[in-house]
Amino acid sequence: MALGITLLLMVLLTAPKARSWSAHRRGFVAGTLALVAFATYPGYYFGLIVPAALVLTATKRRQWLAAMGAFGVGAGTVFIPLELLTRFGHISYFRTLQSPPYLPTQGDFAESFSFLPKYVWHVEGVLGVILLIGAIVGVGIVLTKPISASQAIGLAVVAGWLVHASLGFFAHKMVFYGRLVHFFMPFIVLYAGVALEYSVQRERLRNQVIVLVIVAALIESGNFWWRYTQIAYPLDVLASYAVTSAVPLRYLNEGRVQSTLNYPPASAQYDLSQDTSDSLLLVNFTYPYPLPTGPCQLIPPPVHYQLLFEAPHFFSFPAYTFENFSPTERAHLWRCAYQCRLYQRTGGG
């Protein structure tokens, strides 16, 4: 939603009608919606650069101060009510933005600059790499043109990426993770389109390239959704088997993963020591944290148990491995490919 609001703001600021807006109106609209987007998802804090750059591009230099002042007033119309509202709960909205839980530090600061291309390659595949290369070319092309909204957006997005990557790599303040990369994906597509428009002059050849890209996108999307439908979420599996508090649950994990974050139903009782005839044995039904990086240590099928369910753990899905895992932990998840397995005891000693 935050990204959608940012894109909507871009449309408003670049619309033909916006050319007749005064500097104050342009700045106020940009500041208001920019803070709405930020309040929706503070992780996209660097997205504030985009509307600010668009306002400055569309405003004469002597009116920059007035436009930025209106930007601040618009931002205040969102920020101040939020601050006052949280004060009623005896907390401060401003202070929560400075607290450690807001700053994403679980990951690896060393891959701050390499995280985006890694994510695109492993999650979006070959098509993603093609789009990323095209976007780099597209931004380069735009920079050679006269100052325009397109140039402002290109520079602002690159600046936002550099700011966050630098805060991680040099200052060790924040890391990249998958959800933050999502902000850049529409811009990668947009500037890949710019590269295609200016690099391929013949219209027929350009249309053929567009068709090939669309076909590749459909194939990648189909592959993506097929893999996504195969993964298992522990709570969903337990719900589908109507696990209740009357059924003792026993947890086992491969790779020495601890059982501190299990997924029992709210009313369920689980006991690791008792073994009853109707007990369920759950293998890899936990959130793997903290995640070891040693051998996978696969668990063989238990004797006197019937396999009821088996599917890849949701952390076997490539996109999820880019959510606050270090490269070593990510490689461990890929190598071990954890499977959620649900067994029911059938008898025996």
Side-chain angles (χ1 to χ4, degrees):
M1 185 180 292
L3 178 57
I5 295 171
T6 302
L7 296 175
L8 173 62
L9 178 55
M10 288 172 49
V11 172
L12 292 176
L13 293 177
T14 57
K17 290 183 179 180
R19 297 173 186 173
S20 61
W21 289 0
S22 65
H24 291 91
R25 181 180 180 184
R26 188 178 297 113
F28 182 82
V29 171
T32 302
L33 287 182
L35 256 292
V36 170
F38 172 79
T40 303
Y41 185 54
Y44 291 160
Y45 71 96
F46 42 74
L48 297 174
I49 300 176
V50 176
L54 283 175
V55 168
L56 294 178
T57 302
T59 306
K60 294 180 180 179
R61 185 167 298 183
R62 65 176 180 271
Q63 296 179 309
W64 278 7
L65 185 60
M68 286 296 98
F71 188 98
V73 172
T77 61
V78 179
F79 181 84
I80 293 175
L82 287 174
E83 178 66 21
L84 294 176
L85 183 63
T86 55
R87 287 288 182 176
F88 280 105
H90 306 291
I91 59 175
S92 168
Y93 178 68
F94 178 71
R95 288 187 179 275
T96 60
L97 299 179
Q98 298 175 306
S99 62
Y102 165 67
L103 302 178
T105 57
Q106 184 184 337
D108 190 350
F109 295 115
E111 67 170 354
S112 296
F113 287 100
S114 62
F115 187 90
L116 177 58
K118 284 181 180 179
Y119 179 92
V120 170
W121 167 244
H122 289 286
V123 176
E124 303 297 338
V126 175
L127 178 64
V129 174
I130 294 174
L131 290 174
L132 181 59
I133 294 174
I136 295 172
V137 174
V139 172
I141 291 173
V142 167
L143 294 182
T144 64
K145 305 297 179 182
I147 295 177
S148 64
S150 297
Q151 192 176 79
I153 295 170
L155 288 174
V157 172
V158 173
W161 172 74
L162 287 174
V163 165
H164 192 84
S166 298
L167 286 173
F169 189 83
F170 297 109
H172 286 194
K173 292 295 184 182
M174 290 181 281
V175 298
F176 261 118
Y177 51 88
R179 282 163 288 173
L180 297 185
V181 172
H182 295 168
F183 177 87
F184 299 96
M185 299 310 293
F187 301 101
I188 289 175
V189 175
L190 285 173
Y191 283 99
V194 171
L196 177 63
E197 176 70 18
Y198 284 92
S199 300
V200 183
Q201 301 299 325
R202 294 173 54 188
E203 183 177 358
R204 182 177 179 181
L205 179 59
R206 186 189 307 146
N207 291 336
Q208 290 174 342
V209 173
I210 291 174
V211 171
L212 289 176
V213 171
I214 292 175
V215 171
L218 291 174
I219 294 174
E220 285 287 348
S221 298
N223 179 55
F224 181 94
W225 283 109
W226 181 84
R227 294 179 67 179
Y228 181 74
T229 56
Q230 305 305 306
I231 63 176
Y233 292 91
L235 276 177
D236 290 343
V237 176
L238 293 177
S240 66
Y241 281 88
V243 176
T244 66
S245 58
V247 181
L249 305 181
R250 301 199 303 131
Y251 285 80
L252 290 177
N253 290 300
E254 297 172 330
R256 296 180 289 108
V257 175
Q258 298 183 19
S259 300
T260 53
L261 293 172
N262 294 335
Y263 290 109
S267 60
Q269 300 173 355
Y270 56 99
D271 190 337
L272 296 176
S273 60
Q274 295 183 1
D275 186 10
T276 61
S277 60
D278 60 350
S279 65
L280 294 177
L281 176 62
L282 291 81
V283 179
N284 298 328
F285 263 69
T286 65
Y287 187 101
Y289 180 82
L291 185 67
T293 56
C296 300
Q297 296 182 341
L298 300 179
I299 295 177
V303 180
H304 306 304
Y305 276 86
Q306 175 187 2
L307 179 64
L308 298 180
F309 176 85
E310 181 177 20
H313 189 283
F314 67 93
F315 269 138
S316 65
F317 195 60
Y320 286 136
T321 63
F322 283 87
E323 293 295 328
N324 301 121
F325 287 109
S326 69
T328 304
E329 293 170 332
R330 200 176 300 132
H332 176 81
L333 288 171
W334 293 342
R335 181 175 65 254
C336 295
Y338 291 115
Q339 298 278 318
C340 290
R341 304 202 301 274
L342 176 64
Y343 294 92
Q344 183 175 38
R345 189 171 181 84
T346 58

